Every structure is written in C-alpha cells, then in structure tokens.
Amino acid sequence: MSSETRVVRSACRGCHGICQVFVHLDGDRVVQVRGDPDSPTSRGYLCPKGQAAPKLLYHPDRLTHPLRRVGRRGENRWKRISWDEALHEISDKFTKIKNESGAEFVAIYQGTGRPHIEWTERFANAFGTPNFVGPAHLCFIPRVIASNITMGRLPVCDIYGFGGEMPACIMVWGCNITETGASDGMCGGMFSRALNQADKVIVVDPRRIRAAEKADHWLQLRPGTDGALALAMINTIIVEDLIDHDFVDNYTIGFEKLVQHVRGFTPEWAEPITSVDAGAIRAAARTFATVAPGGIQWGNGIDMSVCSFHTARSLLILMGITGNIDRPGGNVIWVPPTGVKQKSVLINPEQRGVQFLPKEQKDRMIAAGKFPFCPNTHTPAFWDSVITGKPYRTRAIWIMGSNPLVTATQGLKIERALKECLEFIVVSDIFMTPTAQLADLVLPAATWLEQDDVVYLSKIWCVLARKKLAHFAEARDDRDVIFDLAHRLGLHEAFPWKDSTEYLNWVLEETGLTFAQFCERGIILSEMRYRKYTTEGFHTPSGKFEIYSSIMERVGASPLPVYREPPMSPVSTPEVAKEFPLILIPGNKVRYFFHSELRQIEDLRRHNPDPLVEMHPDTAAALGISEGDWVWVESPSARVKIRAKLFDGISPQAVNAQYAWWFPEQDPPDYGWKTSNVGLLFGDTPCDPESGAEPLKGYLCKVYKA
Ligand SMILES: Nc1nc2c(c(=O)[nH]1)N[C@H]1C(S)=C(S)[C@@H](COP(=O)(O)OP(=O)(O)OC[C@H]3O[C@@H](n4cnc5c(=O)[nH]c(N)nc54)[C@H](O)[C@@H]3O)O[C@H]1N2
Ligand SMILES: Nc1nc2c(c(=O)[nH]1)N[C@H]1C(S)=C(S)[C@@H](COP(=O)(O)OP(=O)(O)OC[C@H]3O[C@@H](n4cnc5c(=O)[nH]c(N)nc54)[C@H](O)[C@@H]3O)O[C@H]1N2
Ligand code: SF4
Ligand SMILES: [Mo]
C-alpha cells in the first residue's frame, strides 16, 4: 500500500441496510469497501451491492451535470446547464404554477426510501403541495400503518437480543433478507445469525428460500393468500388456548370479539384457500405459540395485495396474543438514542413555529380520502389523474430517485402522462434512465460515498455516521439541492439550515458532539428497554394493544382482520384462469440489484445478465421449456420476454418473474424498457381498500416459448 492510502469508517447505503463499513482510499479515490467486523449493527457483513459501491461511484455512465432538454420529450437531445440555471428554472416554474393554479399542481415523486426522503416530504409540505407520490403504498407502508393503529409503533424482530435473550422461534413471513442483504433497517447478516441460533424456524413463503431449507416448518402457500393463513393460525392458537393470558387480559382490547370473529377461520377453512395442509398450519401455529420468545420477521411478501393491511393486522395480533410484543427475543419497539433529534417530514411546530398543511390543502390531494390509511397520494390514481385531468391535471412533477416506467405498474400510462400531459418534469437520478429520458431537466445526484449523514432510521436503536469521502463531477447530495431550491422559494422557516453540515450539527446538538466528532465515534447506541407498555401503555386511542381497532371502526373499515382473495386468481376469475392458468409472483428482490438499479455494474450483472422467470421443472417440461429458454410471460394485459430458470422450490402452479428490468446497454431513449418489464403485465385492478396497495401478488399469466 502506498503512503497515501487511508481507511475511513462509514455506513453503507447501497440499500435500506445498516452495514458499517471501512472505506479504503488511495489519495482521493475510493478503492474498496469492506465490512467492519466490530460493528454492532452488522459485524462485518457486506453484500455484493456494498462491495460494488466504488464501481457505482466512478461509473462512466453517471450523470455528470444538470441537463436541459432541447429536442422534443424523449428525443434524447440535451444541453448541459449550470446548477444555478437549473435551480433558477425550477424555482421560476414552481412559483408560476403555484401562483396560477395552486401548490397542489406541483407533485413530488419519491422513490424507495433514501437518505433524502424526509427532505422531499418536508419540501412538499413546506411548498404546500399534498401530492406526494411514490411506491410506498405497495411497500412497507401498509405494515407501518397497521402497526401504528394497533400498537402505536412498528415492532421489529429482536435479532440483537439486547435483553439477554435471542428469539427461540423465528417466523419468516414473506421476507428474504438472508439473500438480499437487508430491508427496512434490518441486516441480513445479523438475521442469518439469529436464524442459526433459533430453536425453531417457520418460513411462510411460496418459494423455498434459503431460510426455508433448514426450517422446521415451511408453509408453501398460494401467493396472495397470507391473510387466510394468518387467521387460521390465530384460530388454532385460540382454540388450543395457547395464548398469553397476562398480556391479553391486561394490555389488549377486543380479544373476546376476536374469539367470536375467528371461530370459522379454521385450518380446514384455510387449506383450500392457501394450498397449505390444515395439519401443517396447526403445527406451525403451535410451534410459534409455544416456543418462546418468538419473533416474526415480515417483508414484502405480505405487501402488494388487496389484503396487505389486514394481513399485517393479523400478524400483529399473532405477536400480541402469544405475548411476544416488546419482550426480550420477541417483536420489540426499539428505543432511539437520546439527544439525537428526529428527522421530521413535518415542520416541527415547537422548533419552528410553522403549521402543517391546512386542511383545505390536504383535501385537494388527488384521491383524498379514498384509501383511509394511504398516507400519500395514491400512485395509480395519480397517474390516472394526470391523463384524465380529473379531479385536476397536475402541471409539474419532480421525480427524486425513482424509475417508475420500470418499477411501477402501467408503465405505458406513465410514459403517456410524462410525454404528453405534464408541463414541466424534473428528474433527479444518478444515471440516465428510461424515466429521466422523458424529463425537461435532469439533475445529477450523489451516491452515499458522496454524502455526510447521521444515519437514522426511527425504528432502530442507534445512529451511524456516514462520511463524505468522494465527489463525482457536479453530482450533488439531493438534500443540498432541496435546501438550495427551498431557499430560492423562500421556504426558510422549514429549512433554516444553510446546508447539510449545519443541519447535521443541529441534529446532534443535544448529544454534545459535532458531526466531525460523531464521525470519529461512528455510532451512538441507545439503551434498550423492554416491556415499556407496562408503564407507558401503547400509543393508541385506548392506550392498549388494539386487537379490535377503534381507529378502523371509526373510519368504517373492519376493526378485526379479514381475508380477501386476490382480484385476479383461479378463485376470483376462473374463466380468465382457463387461458392464463399459472399464478404470477411479480418478482422478489434480487441479491445483485437494487430494484431497477445496478444493471450497469458488470461485476453484479454477470451473476444475473438476463431477466429470469423461475418455474418448476414439471411445469417447464409440460410446456416444452428448458433451462435458459427465452419465453413469453403473458397476462390478459401484456406479454414480456424473459428467460426460464428451473427451480423445484416453487410450486408447479406458480411462476416468479423478476421485475424492474431495463437494459442500460441498449439504445436510448427506451433502453429496451418495454421488452421484459413485468410491471406491464398488470392492468387496472382494484386496490387494497384500506392502504391502496396494488394486488400484484397472485396474478394470472401463461408462459410459452418465445
Ligand atoms: N438486494 C436487494 N435488496 C433489497 C432490495 C433490492 O431491490 N435488492 N430492495 C429493498 C426494498 S425497497 C425492500 S421493500 C426490501 C424487501 O425485501 P423482502 O421483504 O425480502 O422482499 P421480496 O424479496 O420482494 O420478497 C420476500 C419474499 O416474499 C416471497 N413472496 C412472494 N409472494 C408472496 C406471498 O404472496 N406471500 C408470502 N408470504 N411471501 C411471498 C418471495 O418469494 C420472497 O422470498 O428489500 C430491500 N432490499
Ligand atoms: N413487480 C414488482 N414491482 C415492484 C416491486 C416488486 O417486488 N415487484 N417492488 C416495489 C418496491 S418494494 C419498491 S420500494 C419500488 C422501488 O421503485 P423505485 O424507487 O422506482 O426503484 P429504483 O429502481 O431503486 O429507482 C430508483 C432510481 O433512483 C436512482 N437513485 C439511486 N440512489 C439515488 C439517490 O440517492 N438520489 C437520487 N436522486 N436518485 C437515486 C437510481 O439510479 C434509480 O434510477 O418498486 C416496487 N415495484
Ligand atoms: S446489505 Fe445494504 S447496507 Fe449492507 S452492504 Fe449490502 S447494500 Fe450495503
Ligand atoms: Mo420497497
């Protein structure tokens, strides 16, 4: 090693994980990222995406400076402009639209959670638009809201065991983080460790994921039927009196109503719905209720259905009636570190003396009130409104870190909305994408290696230091761009900080550390406390764990969990199933990619060069399909071309097609995004009436050789 090399501690943000890393630099150049073996959050874990961070940082295809469209939309003709010109133009256009039509005519579109997420929402609130759009309705939010109304906060599987006990039983329900690396602030490496230590493992997944290989119970359910399975488990636990009476009697409301409610939801009732043997359902329920402490690790498997919200409620009730809430080794509520100020999407009234969005403004949100627990503008309703102009046509959009043509459903509709219906489109991204190709202005964003941050997820028990170690061309941290634009728009009250550095020092103020000192330390831990409900109650209207939800009752939704069949399935639409006999799983998260990202990185792409559809060897054989064949996956709405991958861990009735594919190596402006994009298979469908989630799980398709 040359004398110029140095190693700096930081925290990876290749996904929603919490891996602490050592970044190796040679002079100013980042050369390597390694896991930090002493990290209490990740203990040296590093996934391939984390390893590839330097390749992402210096990728030659990255956006280097702001671009203004010069040709027609989608012609791929651009002119380099300065940041000042770009921000001036945005500020002018946004102001003009706000004055002429109202703030709600500017929509803010946020992709999956990123370090800047609080700021995008705060910006929307400060600017005054209620139209905050993105994929959240089908990812995580149904679980967050269900948790909030049931028990005030999101419970997390206690895989760190700070209370001296690790989970003796882990039920992995539609979550594959041992493979993907991380999700929702949970580290895949640490989760694998907890799985190895557990006495019993239950996996509920239609595919034999790695965790299922060694599981004591693997329930291979029909996709989209989780709601029925969960109700049957509740039934078993109640019928066999395996409940925790102390918790149920003292800290919950509505148990008696639940007992009546689930009477008919026996494992025999669930068997034909879920395709899981009634005896297997009973056995798994018994294990979960009797091997204590137990934790449920849930994931996207339960999102993306018309029953997402109720399924989440059922799983919370399973945690509750077995006495696993907030006990060591159960499903716990993390205590955040003291002194670290919460990032807030709201303009904190105490600190800043500014109000939230006025009610009239909220009421102007597109699809306001349609889905009572959908916190943001409902995304499919939003794109419809842009096309139909009803209730009004949004005039401008700022898409921050999302590639909806490829990651959302109905990309063709979104393409039309972007090409023909919106007046002004800004996209912030690291790369040019099919979505960015349709923008008027494209802004180059920084990766995590180019950012300072106090990494803070409200549901975890520590904050991590991330250090800015590199810069690339004119790419800027999205937060600095938001600050800059907010100041140009006069939104100083909501953004009183000059820049990220001043803001980060403010966040840490009460800890007595400056950001620089915090970076030296790398982490601030909290002191975990368990069973907080015994002294503080739950943050619900009754102060109890609400099995029977008073909030749901108030909005006219079922206060007890129900099961809803997927709207397109062999049961709901048997006539469609005659022509489209296979059940479609719309892709799971892939180890080497992050949604539509990272297809440019050769080291990652070579592991998975083409889009794949998993199918059972028997199904493939019956259709004359062999490993590696290109096949059409066709739904009643569209067909896409994908390569067959034979896998006997999937049921012969189902296929699982990777999502979010586009081909950066192909020609712009399309980059082949219409060829293999699974999102195109979904037509207009009814959504989860509570959360607005789209029912992608358990759709119908057919597969044939291309
Ligand atoms: N490498 C990598 N990591 C990521 C991401 C990524 O793109 N790549 N994305 C991040 C994001 S935004 C998220 S939200 C998380 C999500 O992470 P996970 O929650 O793990 O999400 P998935 O991989 O989509 O699905 C998890 C499992 O659900 C199963 N499943 C599919 N349909 C059903 C069903 O109907 N019922 C049940 N019970 N299971 C089902 C799938 O087979 C899969 O094994 O991952 C994050 N981490
Ligand atoms: N069929 C199907 N569809 C799905 C899913 C599924 O399982 N199946 N999963 C859903 C889920 S869980 C989610 S969360 C969504 C994700 O949907 P998206 O958020 O649209 O996902 P990404 O592909 O990650 O798009 C993010 C874009 O942001 C850019 N980017 C990355 N980092 C930054 C940054 O720091 N700043 C800026 N400005 N840009 C950045 C990337 O280059 C990329 O082009 O997809 C959903 N869609
Ligand atoms: S799991 Fe996520 S946070 Fe951890 S190394 Fe991989 S990309 Fe980075
Ligand atoms: Mo997600």
Side-chain angles (χ1 to χ4, degrees), residues 582 584 610-616 619-635 638-646 655-658 674-678 681 701-706:
L582 293 168
L584 176 68
D610 301 310
L612 298 174
V613 55
E614 280 175 348
M615 45 197 316
H616 194 279
T619 311
L623 296 167
I625 293 167
S626 314
E627 175 83 20
D629 281 351
W630 283 96
V631 298
W632 289 107
V633 178
E634 183 172 335
S635 77
R639 67 174 192 174
V640 292
K641 209 170 153 187
I642 313 189
R643 285 186 98 155
K645 179 178 191 288
L646 306 193
V655 297
N656 175 33
Q658 288 182 345
K674 292 171 190 170
T675 315
S676 305
N677 174 4
V678 162
L681 297 178
C701 71
K702 64 180 169 187
V703 177
Y704 51 95
K705 242 175 128 148

Side-chain angles (χ1 to χ4, degrees), residues 111-112 114 300 401-403 407 428-429 478 586 589 595-597:
T112 184
R114 305 248 179 240
N300 263 169
S402 189
N403 189 1
T407 54
S428 299
D429 206 298
D478 298 289
K589 308 297 171 276
H595 306 294
S596 71
E597 298 173 34

Side-chain angles (χ1 to χ4, degrees), residues 94 107-109 382-383 395-399 418 422 424-426:
F94 281 12
I108 306 294
Y109 198 103
F382 170 76
W383 291 116
R395 294 177 60 187
I397 191 168
W398 184 5
I399 301 177
L418 293 174
L422 286 153
F424 183 56
I425 303 166
V426 184

